[in-house]
Amino acid sequence: MANTYTQLYIHIIFAVKGRQNLISANWKNEIYKYITGIITNKEQKLIAINGMPDHIHILIGLKPDKSISDLVRDIKSNSSKFINDRKWINGKFEWQTGFGAFSYSHSQLTNVIKYIQRQEEHHKNKTFKEEYT
């Protein structure tokens, strides 16, 4: 798209099916790296990624020719397969149906990045379920 300029910053959140605490500290960084690869291969820009045992936060710079729904579908399906292929949990790992997606202006990015980076601290006071519902 010649001569097109956009600043589309999207904060994506989705949870483990049943909001179970299945994302282990032992392998969370490996799954974050894998998700980073998915996003990069889809030609989008990862800005921040972090989460808790029951959910994940991803901040991306989205190009205007990419559907958020298609990108999240690809992240969730490929990362589920990655986790299941490694047998990191007993049974089948699945993400919840659906997701949250919120847009932010460039001036808000520092605060959103800090929020994502400080998930452990943030959820000491409020659970994901209390915050998201």
Side-chain angles (χ1 to χ4, degrees):
M1 285 193 248
N3 300 317
T4 300
Y5 178 76
T6 61
Q7 284 188 340
L8 304 172
Y9 301 107
I10 308 295
H11 179 187
I12 300 164
I13 305 113
F14 50 88
V16 175
K17 187 174 183 178
R19 295 198 174 123
Q20 296 179 75
N21 291 322
L22 297 180
I23 302 172
S24 169
N26 295 331
W27 51 265
K28 76 174 188 174
N29 287 332
E30 197 168 341
I31 192 65
Y32 295 166
K33 287 178 189 175
Y34 189 79
I35 289 171
T36 298
I38 295 168
I39 293 166
T40 302
N41 287 336
K42 298 294 179 181
E43 300 180 346
Q44 306 308 305
K45 181 180 179 182
L46 178 74
I47 300 169
I49 186 169
N50 197 14
M52 294 295 291
D54 66 341
H55 71 280
I56 191 167
H57 291 258
I58 304 168
L59 178 63
I60 62 167
L62 186 71
K63 293 184 179 179
D65 62 344
K66 186 64 174 176
S67 157
I68 297 169
S69 293
D70 289 348
L71 179 62
V72 174
R73 179 201 62 219
D74 293 343
I75 292 168
K76 288 167 64 174
S77 66
N78 289 311
S79 62
S80 292
K81 182 177 181 340
F82 180 78
I83 293 167
N84 286 318
D85 287 349
R86 276 143 193 82
K87 299 185 184 335
W88 283 334
I89 68 161
N90 292 326
K92 184 178 178 186
F93 179 89
E94 295 180 73
W95 296 108
Q96 73 174 20
T97 302
F99 61 93
F102 307 92
S103 61
Y104 290 93
S105 68
H106 189 270
S107 65
Q108 296 171 306
L109 289 184
T110 300
N111 289 335
V112 177
I113 292 166
K114 285 179 186 174
Y115 170 76
I116 291 171
Q117 291 172 337
R118 296 178 180 159
Q119 279 298 290
E120 291 84 0
E121 181 181 324
H122 175 75
H123 286 293
K124 285 180 182 175
N125 300 319
K126 187 181 263 190
T127 68
F128 174 67
K129 189 172 184 175
E130 291 171 336
E131 181 177 34
Y132 193 69
T133 54

